[in-house]
Every structure is written in C-alpha cells, then in structure tokens.
C-alpha cells in the first residue's frame, strides 16, 4: 500500500542522494555520453585510445572522427532498425523463457502494507538454456556464428537500442507510478526516496518500489527484479563471448587472457543468477524504486561497460602464460570466497538463526526486533561482502596489463614500438603495437575497478543512513562493536 504521507514530509524524512536534482540530471544525461566515449575512444579502427586523443587539447575533430570510426551519416548512424529489432527480439526471447521454463515461486519480504508479493525465479535455467543454444551454434559455425558477428559488427547500434529502451522504460514506470493509490489490491507502493516532488530526481531514483506489468502470453513481470538479473547480466556474457570470437576472426587464434576474463565474469554472473532468491533481501529490492538509475544500470551499464576488458583484448591479444593465469585466478578465488561465504552466512542467519551453520554467531537484538550479527564474517566488517566483491574486480582488469594499443595500416614498418612492446599482426595485414598509447588504455580497462570502489563505498553510505533511520541508537551501538565499514583495519 502506498504511503499517504505528503510528498514534502516524505522527502525530508528520507533526504536527497546522488547530489540531489543536479546530480541526478548530470548522471541521467552524462552516462549515455560516457558509454559512447568508451565505445569510440577505445576502438578497433585506430587504437585504444584513438591516437588523436593523445594530442589533447590540440584535437583535430575531423581526424578524430576518422580514427574512431564515426558513422558517415552522423548521429543517425548510431542506431539502426535492424539492431533495434534484434534487441527487442532478445528481450522477447528472455520473456518467453521466463514464462515457459520451470520456475521456483516464492514470496518477497513483508511490505509496509503488510502484504507480500509473489516472485517467479528461473533466471539461471533461462541463462543456461540461452548459452547452450549459443554453444551449439558456435560448434556448428565457429567464430562466424551469426550471434557473435552481429554483436561485434553492430556494437554501437545495439548500445543505442538499449539506451533508448532504458530511457523508455524509466519514463513508462515514472508516469505509471502516479496511478498508485493507497490500499490498492495489487500491493503497489511508492519508494520512500522517490517522492521528493522534483521531476528529474524522482525520474532518476524511481517513484514506484516494485512496478509490475502483465504482458500477453508472458504474464505478470516484476520489472525491477526481472531487469536486474536477466537481459543485462546475460548480455554481459554474450558480449564477452562475441569478443572471443572476434579475436579469433581478427588474429586467427584465441589467447588465455580473453578466455580467463570471460570465464571469471561468467562465474560471477551465473553465481548471482543462481542465487536469484537472495535478491529479495538487497537494498535494490527493499528500498529503491525503479527509475532511470536501475533501468540504465541494468540494461546498458552492466553489459557494455563491464565487457570493456574483453572488447579491448579482442583487438590486443595479450597472453598471460600459466603463471599469470594462476596468479590472477588466485586473486579471484580469494575475492569470490569472501563474497559468497559472507552472503551465504547472512542469508542462512536471516532465514533461521538456529541453523547449525550459524548457531555460533553472536548478535545484538534491536528495539525493532531485528538481529544484527556481531561475529563471523559480519563481525569483521559491516559490509565484508563488498570487500570480496571489490577484490573480484581486479582480476577482470589485470589481464589487460599496462593497457593501450595503436593499430597501423598493413605494410607499415613498425618504428613506434617500445623495446618491451609486442607486435601483433591481424589477418587483414594491419599491425597492432602499444607505442605511445601504452598506459593510456588503462583509463578504459581499469575504469571498472575505480568505479566499483566508488559504487560500493556509496552503497555502504546509503545503507548506513537507512539503518540509522531504522534502528536509531541501536545502530550506533552496533557500529561501536563492528567498527569497520568494508576493509578491516583500513575503512
């Protein structure tokens, strides 16, 4: 049931986040631009970054357009009807799998109205079904499998299609949220932080907590939960696979670096999808409305920005050797173990504190009746799972090394390569060296590590504020017991 509290009072009770309306405006308008900067700035035409960018601030725009492969028909070339149609077909296919594959049905947490929403979970089987189909196609047709070639050849146009879908979806749920009425039978509620009364801020944060829609054949879909774990997360892996195939078509072989990154990211995605029911206890589902923030994040940011490393390696086939593979895999194992074991302990404790696996855990009981763990993983740091998650970010970027490359025309005498540079020859005769681009490519391939650290620190802050409002002085007492936020002894 939606709150009947006036918007102004609700706003002051929750407060602005992300810099308020100004921050929301900058993010809403700036993130799509940043995605295009990544798509064109690190490319398979001239290099990563494009050579003209190294002459900043004396950039020749006409030369830059040539180097980044800017469409000949200008902005219209950023989109295509074919790429848009196939993108919608991908979403439809995902919806049909949601409807017809076997699923586990469960209820979410109790809403402020006292009711519980029903959820249908089969994201894991849907992903496996899709990946098996793609594997069969790859076995039959190799690197020329049409799914892989289409993604690589229409990358920018597919990006544009998803950006438009993200904006359209955010607009739809924003407008529809004004039909939420107190006491409705559908258990529709407004998100506490999304009813400030400021249009751009509420559009960004999301007004409705759990917007749902009923589609022909597919049935009812919880938009937020469905978008969180289906098209974007699986799209991330499909992008990675497409870039493995592209590397093979470009050089005639596949390197351990691009395979390792893909395997690590696939493990991360499949693990998250397999644990789909755990999403019901996340801040995204419990606290956040569904607006542009989640719409763009789920459908654009995750699949396109997170696959930057494999896109880079598809044009610069760096090899790690077995020592490099073992070392990077060890870092991943450490991060994954912390992340998964901590989350598993939390979920077991929430469901049954008397379970033998968590019966030894110490906790404090708040005035609200909630139990806050003060030992085990969660006694080490209040968000120890974030620490594990951040450690996992490093192995995605490390296989790109001291990133940066320049693509030279076929037959070029290589004179720009440094003494330690490797020289790679493409199947079309073009030559790839690092040259003056060395290190500058790290702005693209290591961006994920920096961004993820900022994201987790910000999320920790949001959670701290939410818990402070919920538990009051009990939360301060808890923080005096569990002192560290994310990194034990440091932060």
């Amino acid at each position: 049931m939606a709150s009947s509290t006036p918007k102004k009072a609700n706003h002051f009770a929750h407060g602005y986040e992300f810099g308020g309306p100004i921050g929301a405006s900058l993010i809403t308008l700036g993130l799509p631009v940043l995605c295009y900067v990544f798509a064109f700035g690190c490319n398979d035409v001239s290099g990563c970054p494009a050579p003209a960018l190294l002459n900043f601030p004396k950039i020749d725009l006409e030369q830059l357009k040539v180097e980044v492969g800017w469409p000949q028909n200008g902005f219209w070339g950023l989109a295509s009807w074919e790429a848009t149609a196939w993108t919608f077909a991908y979403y439809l296919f995902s919806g049909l799998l949601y409807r017809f594959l076997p699923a586990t049905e469960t209820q979410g947490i109790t809403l402020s109205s006292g009711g519980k929403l029903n959820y249908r979970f089969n994201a894991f089987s849907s992903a496996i079904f899709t990946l098996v189909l793609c594997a069969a196609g790859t076995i039959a047709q190799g690197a020329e499998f049409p799914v892989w070639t289409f993604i690589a050849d229409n990358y920018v146009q597919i990006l544009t299609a998803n950006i438009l879908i993200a904006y359209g979806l955010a607009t739809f749920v924003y407008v529809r949220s004004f039909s939420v009425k107190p006491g409705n039978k559908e258990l529709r509620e407004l998100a506490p932080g999304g009813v400030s009364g400021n249009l751009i801020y509420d559009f960004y944060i999301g007004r409705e907590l759990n917007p749902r829609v009923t589609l022909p054949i597919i049935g009812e879909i919880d938009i937020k939960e469905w978008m969180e774990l289906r098209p974007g997360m699986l799209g991330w892996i499909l992008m990675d696979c497409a870039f493995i195939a592209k590397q093979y078509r470009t050089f005639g072989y596949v390197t351990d670096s691009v395979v390792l990154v893909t395997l690590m990211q696939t493990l991360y995605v499949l693990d998250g999808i397999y644990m789909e029911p755990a999403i019901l206890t996340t801040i995204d589902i419990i606290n956040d409305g569904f607006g542009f923030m989640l719409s763009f994040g789920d459908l654009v940011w995750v699949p396109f920005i997170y696959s930057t490393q494999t896109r880079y390696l598809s044009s610069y086939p760096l090899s790690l050797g077995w020592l490099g593979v073992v070392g990077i895999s060890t870092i991943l194992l450490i991060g994954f173990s912390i992340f998964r074991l901590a989350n598993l302990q939390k979920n077991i404790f929430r469901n049954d504190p008397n379970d033998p696996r968590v019966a030894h855990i110490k906790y404090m009981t708040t005035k609200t009746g909630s139990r806050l763990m003060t030992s085990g993983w969660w006694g080490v740091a209040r968000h120890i799972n974030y620490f594990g998650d951040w450690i996992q970010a490093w192995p995605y970027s490390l296989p790109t090394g001291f990133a940066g490359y320049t693509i030279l025309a076929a037959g070029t005498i290589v004179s720009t390569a440094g003494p330690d540079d490797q020289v790679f020859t493409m199947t079309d005769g073009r030559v790839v060296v690092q040259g003056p681009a060395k290190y500058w490519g790290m702005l693209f391939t290591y961006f994920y590590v920096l961004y993820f650290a900022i994201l987790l620190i910000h999320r920790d802050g949001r959670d701290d504020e939410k818990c402070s409002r919920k538990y009051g002085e009990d939360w301060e007492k808890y923080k005096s017991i569990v002192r560290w936020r994310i990194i034990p002894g440091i932060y």
Side-chain angles (χ1 to χ4, degrees):
M1 181 175 68
S3 172
S4 59
T5 305
K7 290 180 180 179
K8 187 174 181 180
N10 198 325
H11 158 62
F12 281 115
H14 191 279
Y16 281 133
E17 298 177 312
F18 298 96
I22 295 177
S25 300
L26 293 176
I27 295 173
T28 301
L29 298 176
L31 286 188
V33 174
L34 183 59
C35 288
Y36 285 120
V37 168
F38 267 67
F40 286 109
C42 185
N43 62 75
D44 60 356
V45 177
S46 62
C48 180
L53 294 176
L54 300 177
N55 295 322
F56 184 84
K58 298 179 180 180
I59 296 178
D60 184 330
L61 290 181
E62 292 304 315
Q63 178 65 24
L64 181 62
K65 287 182 178 180
V66 173
E67 290 181 356
V68 302
W70 186 256
Q72 292 184 352
N73 53 343
F75 285 100
W76 292 107
L78 298 178
S80 78
W81 289 111
E82 183 182 17
T84 303
W86 279 112
T87 300
F88 274 106
Y90 168 68
Y91 281 79
L92 175 60
F93 178 70
S94 183
L96 292 174
L97 293 181
Y98 167 80
R99 171 64 180 85
F100 291 108
L101 287 182
T104 299
E105 298 193 10
T106 188
Q107 289 186 320
I109 66 169
T110 303
L111 302 171
S112 61
S113 62
K116 293 184 178 181
L117 293 170
N118 295 318
Y119 289 87
R120 178 181 174 84
F121 294 140
N122 64 1
F124 184 76
S125 58
S126 297
I128 295 299
F129 184 88
T130 304
L131 292 175
V132 167
L133 287 181
C134 290
T138 304
I139 293 172
Q141 297 177 285
E144 299 295 335
F145 179 47
V147 171
W148 308 145
T149 58
F150 188 82
I151 290 175
D153 295 343
N154 298 273
Y155 177 81
V156 170
Q157 290 72 26
I158 297 173
L159 168 63
T160 301
N162 281 278
I163 289 175
L164 294 176
I165 292 173
Y167 273 111
L169 185 60
T171 302
F172 169 75
V173 295
Y174 176 79
V175 173
R176 189 169 176 267
S177 70
F178 288 94
S179 66
V180 175
K181 303 298 180 184
N184 64 86
K185 296 180 180 179
E186 296 83 9
L187 300 179
R188 297 176 65 193
E189 296 185 0
L190 297 179
V195 286
S196 70
N198 182 279
L199 188 153
I200 186 63
Y201 181 80
D202 293 346
F203 172 81
Y204 172 74
I205 289 292
R207 295 187 82 251
E208 189 169 352
L209 185 62
N210 295 297
R212 296 187 164 208
V213 64
T214 300
L215 302 174
I217 302 177
I218 296 174
E220 185 181 62
I221 286 180
D222 184 288
I223 296 176
K224 182 165 60 173
E225 194 281 329
W226 196 84
M227 294 296 174
E228 189 100 348
L229 291 178
R230 288 175 181 272
M233 290 288 275
L234 178 59
W236 178 8
I237 302 309
L238 295 178
M239 290 282 179
D240 284 350
C241 293
F243 292 128
I244 289 179
K246 180 182 177 182
Q247 187 189 76
Y248 184 82
R249 294 195 304 273
T250 303
F251 296 97
Y253 55 85
V254 172
T255 60
D256 52 12
S257 58
V258 72
V259 172
L260 179 62
V261 173
T262 299
L263 289 176
M264 291 187 297
Q265 294 182 344
T266 299
L267 172 65
Y268 182 84
V269 170
L270 293 182
D271 174 70
I273 293 176
Y274 182 78
M275 301 297 291
E276 186 177 15
I279 195 177
L280 298 182
T281 61
T282 63
I283 190 174
D284 288 356
I285 298 297
I286 295 174
N287 186 72
D288 294 340
F290 185 83
F292 181 80
M293 176 178 71
L294 290 180
S295 177
F296 189 88
D298 293 342
L299 307 183
V300 182
W301 193 257
V302 168
F304 291 91
I305 295 298
Y306 287 16
S307 61
T308 296
Q309 292 84 7
T310 53
R311 191 165 70 89
Y312 171 89
L313 292 168
S314 70
S315 295
Y316 190 77
L318 184 67
S319 294
L320 301 173
W322 71 269
L323 280 176
V325 171
V326 171
I328 292 173
S329 298
T330 300
I331 296 174
L332 176 75
L333 182 61
I334 292 172
F336 178 78
S337 297
I338 295 173
F339 173 77
R340 176 48 56 216
L341 291 175
N343 281 336
L344 180 62
Q345 188 179 78
K346 177 186 68 175
N347 291 329
I348 294 174
F349 185 82
R350 282 183 172 178
N351 292 326
D352 182 10
N354 297 316
D355 188 296
R357 291 171 291 179
V358 295
H360 65 285
I361 297 294
K362 297 178 181 178
Y363 61 88
M364 61 171 284
T365 303
T366 67
K367 293 182 178 65
T368 64
S370 298
R371 296 183 177 96
L372 302 178
M373 291 184 285
T374 58
S375 69
W377 283 107
W378 300 89
V380 177
R382 301 196 292 272
H383 273 120
I384 189 66
N385 58 331
Y386 288 0
F387 182 43
D389 215 2
W390 186 63
I391 292 176
Q392 289 185 87
W394 282 93
Y396 299 167
S397 297
L398 289 172
T400 65
F402 297 116
Y405 62 79
T406 301
I407 300 177
L408 306 175
T412 301
I413 298 177
V414 180
S415 59
T416 58
D420 299 324
D421 284 358
Q422 292 180 275
V423 179
F424 303 104
T425 302
M426 298 181 172
T427 53
D428 62 4
R430 289 183 297 163
V431 178
V432 185
V433 299
Q434 288 201 289
K438 189 174 183 178
Y439 303 115
W440 289 105
M442 296 174 71
L443 294 173
F444 297 94
T445 64
Y446 286 81
F447 173 81
Y448 177 77
V449 176
L450 175 62
Y451 154 76
F452 208 50
I454 296 172
L455 172 70
L456 295 176
I457 291 172
H458 182 266
R459 182 171 292 181
D460 169 77
R462 294 181 68 207
D463 187 65
D464 182 75
E465 184 179 329
K466 177 177 71 73
C467 290
S468 181
R469 290 195 303 268
K470 181 178 181 181
Y471 301 121
E473 62 183 21
D474 284 334
W475 184 246
E476 297 304 316
K477 179 181 178 181
Y478 169 73
K479 290 197 293 184
S480 70
I481 300 173
V482 184
R483 296 175 52 205
W484 303 108
R485 288 173 174 265
I486 299 175
I487 305 177
I490 298 177
Y491 178 77

